[in-house]
Amino acid sequence: MTAGALALAGRHHFIAPPAGTEKVRMRIKKSQDLSISILDEINKLIYELRPSLLDDLGLVAAARWLAGNNLETAGIKVDFKTVGKEKRLPSQLETTLFRVIQEAVTNITRHAGAKNTSISLQFKRSLIRVSIKDDGKGFDVEEAITSRDRPRGLGLLGMKERVELAKGTLSIRSRAGYGTQISIEIPLKQAVDNW
Ligand SMILES: Nc1ncnc2c1ncn2[C@@H]1O[C@H](COP(=O)(O)OP(=O)(O)OP(=O)(O)O)[C@@H](O)[C@H]1O
Ligand SMILES: [Mg+2]
């Protein structure tokens, strides 16, 4: 036996687990798994909760908060602006837009590697237009949307669905190396009639 093997054998003997340790390890593993799934649940609940910020202060303040809380906290610059006269929208529509901006912002922090972003909310008499732009690495939109690996039903497809339910349109322009721009347009009159 070589010296190294001897040392290993000795060490192995020294740390050999006492009877029952494997059971304890399994229990720890189980409770770790449980904590992780509880955390996932909590995160889901928080995500689903309609933030009172949105009810109380409206979409613009809530969108500003999202940008500050996610992007700026991650060290990404935000150029935030509104165009036109800000007004409160039907609450379902505000929720839709809030969720879409939330997903876009989350995607930027998670995937884009961006330094700068710009978010604009344009209020017109008959429509609202939201644009979220980043100068990150960009991606192949077609591929991302048709990917079958989408068990959670959130993400880009969820955004599109939410916007289409509100009779709006969502377009994503992205190119590897050139960043991403998401534009959403929702007609207001029609939305008001339908909600
Ligand atoms: N702003 C972005 N910059 C770069 N890549 C992006 C951006 N937004 C999305 N992507 C790419 O598109 C893919 C699909 O995004 P999508 O939001 O649908 O899913 P996800 O973020 O991976 O998961 P989740 O379901 O949690 O949202 C991402 O995995 C990422 O590769
Ligand atoms: Mg996503």
Side-chain angles (χ1 to χ4, degrees), residues 39-172:
L39 269 181
D40 276 354
E41 273 314 300
I42 292 174
N43 280 335
K44 246 197 329 221
L45 281 175
I46 292 173
Y47 189 87
E48 290 303 328
L49 281 180
R50 181 185 162 78
S52 60
L53 184 80
L54 186 55
D55 282 329
D56 298 343
L57 303 177
L59 182 64
V60 171
R64 253 187 230 282
W65 174 82
L66 274 179
N69 199 47
N70 293 274
L71 299 169
E72 282 167 357
T73 304
I76 302 166
K77 276 206 188 125
V78 183
D79 172 18
F80 190 99
K81 68 172 182 185
T82 60
V83 182
K85 194 168 182 301
E86 179 186 344
K87 59 183 164 190
R88 293 302 302 259
L89 308 169
S91 90
Q92 289 204 50
L93 182 50
E94 287 195 336
T95 307
T96 292
L97 288 167
F98 182 83
R99 293 299 178 214
V100 170
I101 298 170
Q102 186 173 37
E103 176 56 27
V105 158
T106 307
N107 277 348
I108 294 174
T109 18
R110 281 174 53 192
H111 310 298
K115 287 197 171 71
N116 300 284
T117 57
S118 63
I119 299 179
S120 89
L121 280 79
Q122 185 180 6
F123 292 86
K124 295 187 114 183
R125 220 163 56 89
S126 58
L127 64 86
I128 173 148
R129 193 176 282 141
V130 177
S131 147
I132 303 136
K133 222 190 304 192
D134 71 68
D135 66 350
K137 63 178 185 223
F139 65 106
D140 184 331
V141 180
E142 204 51 43
E143 190 191 305
I145 280 189
T146 50
S147 159
R148 284 168 166 270
D149 184 26
R150 306 245 45 81
R152 289 165 62 189
L154 293 171
L156 298 172
L157 283 178
M159 276 164 110
K160 205 165 149 48
E161 267 166 30
R162 282 177 196 270
V163 170
E164 282 169 2
L165 276 173
K167 304 268 183 279
T169 54
L170 176 140
S171 71
I172 306 170

